[in-house]
Amino acid sequence: MQQDNNGSVFKYVDWFTVVLYIILVMAGMVSIYAASYDFDHANMLSFTEFSGKQFRWIGLSLILGLVLILIDVRVYENYAYVIYGGVCLLLLITIFIAPDIKGSRSWLVIGPMSLQPAEFGKFATALCLAKLFSSYNFVLNASKKNYMIALLIIFIPVILILGQKETGSALVYLSLFFVLYREGMSGLVLLAAVCAVTFFVVAVKYTGTLLLGIPAGQAAVFIMIMVLIVAMLAIYCKEFEAARNTLFWFLGTGVIVTALELLGVPVPGTIFFVTVIMAALAYCVLLMFKSKARKLVITVGAALAAIVFLFSVNYAFTSILQPHQQMRIKVALGMEEDLRGAGYNVNQSKIAIGSGGIWGKGFLNGTQTKLKYVPEQHTDFIFCTVGEEEGLIGSAGVILLFLILILRIISLAERQPTVFGRVYAYCVASYLIFHIAINIGMVIGLCPVIGIPLPFFSYGGSSLWGFTFLLFILLRIDASRRERSF
């Protein structure tokens, strides 16, 4: 491999991505200025205010981006494990030395500034995964050991960040499962994740009414498990006859139970559903002696795991989640309003965005923003400022810019000549998709409030630096593809 000099690396940098980055951070600073503007102390730009501080962070980020591009790409490749280990050590130390801020120990106070190491763990984990996948003869599906190593790399920072009591920051790392899927992980894992979320939401949300003597949410999940069994038999196992027979079994027993209920004969719901499903699974076990034993085992295992998960939902919700987390989920699911408590932020945010209409109220004319009705409106809820002052058009424009950036990063990923570059690029895309979707989702009330910033928009140096690390290391890796000679 032969490297060009640092001076010529700028010829190969993807300047389109750099321009998108600059547009987004400048739009973010304007939004922070609008969110924190005070008519009683009106200044164009004060470095004691949030917008002025963010301006300094942006200046430092541009310098940081320049340094990251000038660093030889082999440093990122050769020292990926060292960087990862160093950041994990920092995350561990943070648990013990960070001050308690709103119940969390995730911020290191260094003189006049505070830094959140969890933001820097993202690029370190991405580098480590990229290094692992680019190792000689490494194939994710080759052995269970490879899976375990990849999962260990992802979950070490997750566990350390949970130790800091930062649930939102820890959840971001789970987006890396999309990278594993891109590199060969079975789609069944993503299906399991989707089913788990769906089952949890349905079981928790519909607990107020009863069906067959059990909560309607629990009965609905049992029915979804039945649908899952039939679908896996038909689509995954290609056992069309077995899928048909199982479907008839479920429908037949359902008709019988409905008739009994109409006749006034009570049917114990849990016993009924479990018995019917277990009978169907016993039928699947008998089929294993004929063909497709492995796929049938997975189908039976998935159904049993789903039942166990369903019975654990209530315990997890009431015993593992904190009361404020439970309330946030209930508010997001429409089970509670709590307009003065957990639902206050979201309610005020929706009012602000809705009041903006199509065209918005205009720059610095947002009443909800100026009167400080929305707490944290310069950080996690910055998008409500965009919605109120710039309206639907401005909000759609911001989302479009993010979409263009994500598509560009995916394009960079697919043109990488090395596994290292491709995996790292998909890590960056996964982080961005998760952050953008969850942040905007919680601002408009579609997701629980879990404290995830909007990339390049939310106030804070740690978040901005974290995404600068991610993006400019990717740009350096991408630029190196023309410097290599094979």
Side-chain angles (χ1 to χ4, degrees):
M1 181 178 72
Q2 195 174 27
Q3 295 284 340
D4 207 340
N5 58 57
N6 284 334
S8 64
V9 70
F10 293 103
K11 295 189 300 184
Y12 307 128
V13 170
D14 187 68
W15 289 104
F16 180 76
T17 303
V18 174
V19 170
L20 283 175
Y21 168 83
I22 293 174
I23 292 174
L24 286 167
V25 295
M26 295 310 296
M29 196 196 76
V30 171
S31 298
I32 292 170
Y33 179 78
S36 58
Y37 187 80
D38 188 345
F39 284 109
D40 295 330
H41 304 88
N43 292 310
M44 285 302 294
L45 187 66
S46 172
F47 288 102
T48 60
E49 301 293 335
F50 291 123
S51 55
K53 293 177 181 178
Q54 188 72 1
F55 184 78
R56 287 187 295 189
W57 284 116
I58 291 173
L60 292 172
S61 295
L62 292 174
I63 296 173
L64 174 63
L66 175 64
V67 172
L68 292 171
I69 287 179
L70 290 176
I71 293 175
D72 193 311
V73 71
R74 288 173 293 188
V75 172
Y76 301 125
E77 295 180 358
N78 296 338
Y79 294 95
Y81 292 144
V82 176
I83 295 171
Y84 175 79
V87 173
C88 285
L89 180 61
L90 181 62
L91 290 173
L92 177 62
I93 294 173
T94 302
I95 298 175
F96 300 102
I97 68 173
D100 190 317
I101 302 175
K102 297 181 180 180
S104 166
R105 293 183 176 273
S106 59
W107 292 86
L108 292 178
V109 180
I110 306 173
M113 66 178 184
S114 299
L115 292 175
Q116 189 176 24
E119 294 294 336
F120 306 123
K122 295 171 189 173
F123 85 88
T125 305
L127 283 174
C128 191
L129 269 184
K131 179 65 174 179
L132 174 68
F133 278 88
S134 63
S135 301
Y136 178 72
N137 212 26
F138 181 91
V139 179
L140 184 62
N141 292 326
S143 67
K144 293 181 180 178
K145 177 183 176 182
N146 290 350
Y147 269 106
M148 294 303 297
I149 296 173
L151 292 175
L152 188 65
I153 290 172
I154 294 173
F155 278 104
I156 286 177
V158 169
I159 294 170
L160 293 175
I161 295 170
L162 287 175
Q164 301 170 8
K165 298 183 179 179
E166 272 291 331
T167 307
S169 298
L171 290 176
V172 173
Y173 289 79
L174 300 183
S175 65
L176 296 177
F177 275 80
F178 290 108
V179 181
L180 301 187
Y181 174 70
R182 170 60 181 82
E183 295 302 315
M185 183 181 72
S186 172
L188 291 175
V189 177
L190 292 183
L191 175 63
V194 172
C195 288
V197 173
T198 305
F199 294 169
F200 181 87
V201 170
V202 173
V204 170
K205 182 174 175 62
Y206 300 103
T207 57
T209 57
L210 296 179
L211 180 64
L212 298 180
I214 62 175
Q218 193 177 82
V221 173
F222 274 126
I223 294 172
M224 285 190 281
I225 293 173
M226 293 177 177
V227 173
L228 178 66
I229 294 171
V230 174
M232 290 190 70
L233 285 172
I235 300 172
Y236 179 63
C237 300
K238 305 297 182 183
E239 292 282 355
F240 300 108
E241 182 180 352
R244 183 198 62 194
N245 295 339
T246 304
L247 177 60
F248 286 159
W249 164 249
F250 289 148
L251 292 176
T253 53
V255 170
I256 294 173
V257 167
T258 302
L260 290 174
E261 285 288 317
L262 292 175
L263 293 173
V265 180
V267 178
T270 300
I271 296 176
F272 163 71
F273 282 115
V274 172
T275 302
V276 170
I277 292 175
M278 294 306 293
L281 295 183
Y283 173 59
C284 293
V285 171
L286 292 176
L287 292 175
M288 292 180 192
F289 295 100
K290 295 182 179 180
S291 64
K292 300 183 178 66
R294 177 179 172 274
K295 291 187 175 183
L296 287 167
V297 167
I298 293 175
T299 300
V300 173
L304 291 175
I307 294 173
V308 172
F309 178 81
L310 173 60
F311 287 131
S312 68
V313 165
N314 184 62
Y315 171 78
F317 186 75
T318 57
S319 302
I320 297 178
L321 294 180
Q322 298 296 320
H324 70 278
Q325 294 171 327
Q326 296 175 26
M327 183 57 69
R328 287 176 179 177
I329 293 175
K330 288 181 178 179
V331 169
L333 295 179
M335 300 168 63
E336 301 277 354
E337 286 193 351
D338 193 22
L339 299 182
R340 297 192 178 189
Y344 179 80
N345 288 26
V346 175
N347 183 59
Q348 294 299 326
S349 175
K350 290 193 289 186
I351 291 174
I353 293 174
S355 67
I358 296 178
W359 301 103
K361 297 178 178 177
F363 184 57
L364 300 183
N365 291 326
T367 53
Q368 291 291 113
T369 301
K370 298 302 162 289
L371 296 176
K372 313 297 182 186
Y373 279 112
V374 185
E376 311 296 336
Q377 61 188 15
H378 61 290
T379 54
D380 296 343
F381 283 81
I382 189 68
F383 190 73
C384 74
T385 303
V386 178
E388 183 180 24
E389 298 193 349
E390 309 305 326
L392 175 64
I393 300 300
S395 300
V398 169
I399 294 173
L400 180 61
L401 282 173
F402 278 126
L403 178 61
I404 294 172
L405 177 62
I406 291 169
L407 292 176
R408 186 61 179 178
I409 291 173
I410 293 174
S411 175
L412 297 182
E414 290 299 327
R415 76 184 188 187
Q416 297 305 306
T418 65
V419 175
F420 181 87
R422 184 181 70 240
V423 172
Y424 182 84
Y426 271 108
C427 288
V428 177
S430 298
Y431 286 137
L432 283 171
I433 292 171
F434 190 90
H435 266 273
I436 295 165
I438 297 300
N439 179 272
I440 295 178
M442 74 182 191
V443 168
I444 62 178
L446 294 179
C447 300
V449 179
I450 56 176
I452 290 180
L454 185 63
F456 313 119
F457 272 74
S458 294
Y459 170 79
S462 296
S463 174
L464 182 58
W465 276 20
F467 285 107
T468 299
F469 268 108
L470 283 167
L471 197 58
F472 279 83
I473 290 176
L474 170 60
L475 291 174
R476 182 63 185 92
I477 294 171
D478 178 67
S480 71
R481 80 188 194 284
R482 294 187 182 178
E483 299 172 355
R484 299 173 185 268
S485 60
F486 297 91

